[in-house]
Amino acid sequence: MAWNEPGKPGDKDPWGQRRKSGAGGPDIDRIVKDIQQKFAGLFGGLFGGGGGGGGGSSHAGGFGFGLILAVALVIWLATGFYIVNQGEHGVVLRFGQKNEITQAGLRWHLPFPIEKVEKVNVEKVSTIEIGYRSNPRTGGKSKVPKEALMLTEDENIIDIEFAVQYKIKDAAEYLFNVRDPEITIAQATESAVREVVGKSTLDFALTEGRDQVSRSSRELLQQILDRYKTGVHIVTVETQKAQPPDEVKPAFDDAVKAREDEQRLINEAEAYANDVIPRARGGAARLIQEAEGYKSSVIARADGDARRFSQIANEYVKAPAVTRERLYLETMEQVLSSTTTIFIDQKAGNNLIYLPLDKLVPMGEAAGAAPFVPPLTEADAAARGTTGRGRTDLRSRGATP
């Protein structure tokens, strides 16, 4: 038979209660009534109820409820512990107002609803894209013409894209001074870039001025965000792409190529100038030095001639005849040394002498030979009033007066 079949002595139900004769199940009503009495005794003892016969039960009920409150209080206080990770700041809010800022580590605050904590990562470098949007899943990017197209100072349109990297420098300002920091940074960046590009020409923004535009935009953007007290530090503003609009890009490429050819020709001209000018300067310096050398030599020669004339004058005073003869001989030597002269003694014979002067003179000059000088006769020497010593000197010099 089954364990709970009626009529068997010692039969018990699962709750340990003996079944009455003819009962078909457990006495659930009695169990519920016992539980109600226990709760009534617990709360009655706490609030002064329960009658005269329940003094011990009321005391036990009050102790149990206090224990429950103590455990609940401990659990509630334990919920105030929190951990601030490395690189984060915790902003403790008391009834919604900033109370303190905590650093990394295990911290505690008054549990909810009195205080709560907002954690902000101040070391993370975030990026905001202006003029385009990246797609992390596909790795591509899509253009945002409303943000990318800007007007330059020379009234041209430029297609420019920027990436802004920033960090949080003040967690409280970042949380409470602006409603949506990312939207605020994006709008401020677009405003700053448009101002800088609007003060630059198209060629400057596309070529050598790209870095300058990025630096100026970062400085202006930081000033705007500091004025708004956003608690954000701009790390960098990088120009991702700068080009003319697609509609005019082929014409602009032609203009860029022409400008590159112009620059190439300028560089070649500068290289030629750098080659010619130093040589011209060197030639000019050489001519100047030669002129200075010639000047010095002329002055020295004139000075020497003047001193020599003074010495000759002194000698002329002492011996006029000898000095005159010496001067005459030296002068003739100087004159005839650069002149091709041929002397013919007609008294030596009656034969006809053929002299091809047009051939003899050039041949003698080309060979460097001294001109032919025939010897003087005694009659010629006597007619000229020269002595034998003077005649010997003339023959030795290859010239005669």
Side-chain angles (χ1 to χ4, degrees), residues 161-364:
E161 298 175 357
F162 279 88
V164 181
Q165 295 181 342
Y166 70 93
K167 294 195 304 183
I168 300 172
K169 64 179 180 180
D170 192 314
E173 291 183 352
Y174 180 79
L175 290 175
F176 304 115
N177 286 354
V178 290
R179 178 172 298 176
D180 195 332
E182 291 189 357
I183 294 178
T184 302
I185 295 173
Q187 293 176 351
T189 302
E190 184 178 353
S191 176
V193 173
R194 287 187 183 277
E195 179 176 345
V196 174
V197 171
K199 296 180 180 179
S200 305
T201 61
L202 179 64
D203 292 340
F204 180 78
L206 292 178
T207 54
E208 72 273 8
R210 294 184 60 175
D211 294 337
Q212 180 64 33
V213 170
S214 299
R215 289 193 299 269
S216 301
S217 300
R218 189 191 69 81
E219 294 174 359
L220 182 58
L221 176 59
Q222 188 65 62
Q223 294 175 4
I224 295 173
L225 296 178
D226 291 343
R227 189 163 59 248
Y228 292 164
K229 295 182 180 180
T230 58
V232 172
H233 170 68
I234 301 299
V235 178
T236 181
V237 177
E238 297 181 355
T239 304
Q240 300 297 319
K241 184 181 70 173
Q243 65 180 20
D246 296 336
E247 293 77 6
V248 297
K249 194 173 185 302
F252 185 81
D253 291 340
D254 293 339
V256 170
K257 184 177 179 181
R259 185 165 54 250
E260 292 176 352
D261 293 340
E262 176 187 6
Q263 187 62 37
R264 177 179 57 81
L265 294 176
I266 291 174
N267 293 336
E268 292 178 356
E270 289 179 352
Y272 177 73
N274 293 334
D275 178 55
V276 172
I277 291 176
R279 288 193 295 172
R281 289 176 179 173
R286 178 177 56 80
L287 292 177
I288 291 173
Q289 292 176 357
E290 290 179 356
E292 290 178 352
Y294 177 74
K295 173 184 175 181
S296 300
S297 65
V298 170
I299 293 174
R301 187 180 298 110
D303 189 17
D305 291 341
R307 288 197 299 268
R308 179 172 174 273
F309 180 80
S310 299
Q311 294 174 359
I312 293 174
N314 294 331
E315 295 297 329
Y316 182 79
V317 172
K318 297 177 182 178
V322 176
T323 303
R324 281 197 301 269
E325 183 180 359
R326 179 182 175 185
L327 290 176
Y328 174 78
L329 295 176
E330 290 179 352
T331 301
M332 295 305 298
E333 179 183 8
Q334 184 178 2
V335 171
L336 297 177
S337 62
S338 59
T339 304
T340 303
T341 307
I342 299 175
F343 294 93
I344 300 175
D345 188 4
Q346 295 181 354
K347 296 181 180 181
N350 294 326
N351 295 328
L352 180 62
I353 300 175
Y354 170 72
L355 295 176
L357 298 180
D358 56 341
K359 296 182 179 179
L360 291 177
V361 172
M363 291 177 59

Side-chain angles (χ1 to χ4, degrees), residues 19 27 31 53-54 64 68 87 103 108 113 115 133 153 175 177 186 191 287-288 301 339 346 372 377 399:
R19 292 180 177 272
D27 193 358
I31 294 173
I68 291 174
Q103 304 296 325
W108 182 84
E115 291 182 349
R133 298 293 184 272
E153 184 181 18
L175 290 175
N177 286 354
S191 176
L287 292 177
I288 291 173
R301 187 180 298 110
T339 304
Q346 295 181 354
F372 171 76
T377 61

Side-chain angles (χ1 to χ4, degrees), residues 71-82:
V71 172
L73 179 62
V74 171
I75 294 175
W76 179 70
L77 293 176
T79 59
F81 288 98
Y82 65 97

Side-chain angles (χ1 to χ4, degrees), residues 75-93:
I75 294 175
W76 179 70
L77 293 176
T79 59
F81 288 98
Y82 65 97
I83 297 176
V84 180
N85 296 323
Q86 188 68 31
E88 292 183 343
H89 286 175
V91 181
V92 180
L93 307 179

